[in-house]
């Protein structure tokens, strides 16, 4: 069986959160609810939660900042700016990118886009207009709010 035939769905993305409680609260404001929590002392994991968003059928796993789990890059040092890694952003489809940005800012996000972008993604065959806004979550990951678009 080819790998492409073996994959049946997307399950979750995982975050290491130095500000664990604030990060969980932020995702709750986005509509995620905790469906399970655990600890794994063998991995220095004191607390971890799996959160689920019923409307969009997506999970996010949030683990405390000391968790010794496989991750790309290196740990961010205390007081250090965000360390870049290979995950560029997390994108959610929204009805209104401006409103999503405003609401995210009210619950602890930091502005990244300074409003809504209208971007034309074009090639020789077609052009697609996208409307989006971007924020940093309290944990530092970039979240894109993308208005419904068909590629």
């Amino acid at each position: 069986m080819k790998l492409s035939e073996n994959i049946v769905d997307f399950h979750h993305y995982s975050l290491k959160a130095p500000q664990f409680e604030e990060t969980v609260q932020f995702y709750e404001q986005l509509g995620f609810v905790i469906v399970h929590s655990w600890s794994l002392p063998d991995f220095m994991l004191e607390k971890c939660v799996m959160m689920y968003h019923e409307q969009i059928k997506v999970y996010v796993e949030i683990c405390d900042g000391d968790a010794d789990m496989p991750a790309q890059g290196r740990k961010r040092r205390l007081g250090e700016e965000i360390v870049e890694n290979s995950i560029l952003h997390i994108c959610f489809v929204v009805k209104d990118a401006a409103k999503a940005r405003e609401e995210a800012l009210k619950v602890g996000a930091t502005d990244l886009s300074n409003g809504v972008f209208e971007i034309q993604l074009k090639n020789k065959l077609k052009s697609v207009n996208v409307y989006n806004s971007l924020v940093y979550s309290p944990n530092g990951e970039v979240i894109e709010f993308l208005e419904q678009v068909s590629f």
Side-chain angles (χ1 to χ4, degrees):
M1 177 186 322
K2 292 170 39 176
L3 180 57
S4 61
E5 296 166 346
N6 196 19
I7 296 174
V8 296
D9 202 355
F10 177 80
H11 191 267
H12 75 274
Y13 56 94
S14 182
L15 305 173
K16 187 184 284 192
Q19 292 82 29
F20 181 82
E21 298 300 330
E22 292 90 342
T23 302
V24 169
Q25 290 170 5
F26 178 77
Y27 277 87
E28 287 174 334
Q29 293 297 314
L30 293 180
F32 287 83
V33 296
I34 296 172
V35 294
H36 189 59
S37 62
W38 65 93
S39 64
L40 290 171
D42 290 347
F43 292 94
M44 296 175 48
L45 179 60
E46 180 182 331
K47 49 190 168 184
C48 193
V49 297
M50 186 65 73
M51 302 182 77
Y52 185 68
H53 195 295
E54 176 65 35
Q55 185 173 337
I56 61 175
K57 311 291 187 234
V58 170
Y59 288 93
V60 59
E61 177 185 52
I62 301 174
C63 302
D64 70 78
D66 293 324
D68 186 18
M69 297 174 67
Q72 186 272 327
R74 65 168 174 76
K75 281 179 87 169
R76 180 173 40 169
R77 294 178 185 96
L78 187 62
E80 182 178 46
E81 287 190 36
I82 306 301
V83 176
E84 272 190 39
N85 58 42
S86 61
I87 296 176
L88 297 177
H89 62 269
I90 300 161
C91 180
F92 296 110
V93 176
V94 297
K95 295 174 185 173
D96 183 329
K99 186 70 174 166
R101 177 183 151 273
E102 290 171 17
E103 292 302 312
L105 296 176
K106 289 179 186 175
V107 296
T110 303
D111 197 16
L112 180 57
S113 62
N114 196 24
V116 175
F117 290 114
E118 178 180 355
I119 304 169
Q120 187 178 49
L121 307 175
K122 61 183 179 178
N123 60 32
K124 293 178 183 177
L125 301 176
K126 71 177 183 177
S127 179
V128 176
N129 287 344
V130 298
Y131 301 90
N132 70 351
S133 60
L134 301 157
V135 298
Y136 287 114
S137 85
N139 191 54
E141 63 272 14
V142 174
I143 298 177
E144 175 183 7
F145 297 116
L146 175 69
E147 291 185 9
Q148 184 71 46
V149 64
S150 177
F151 283 93

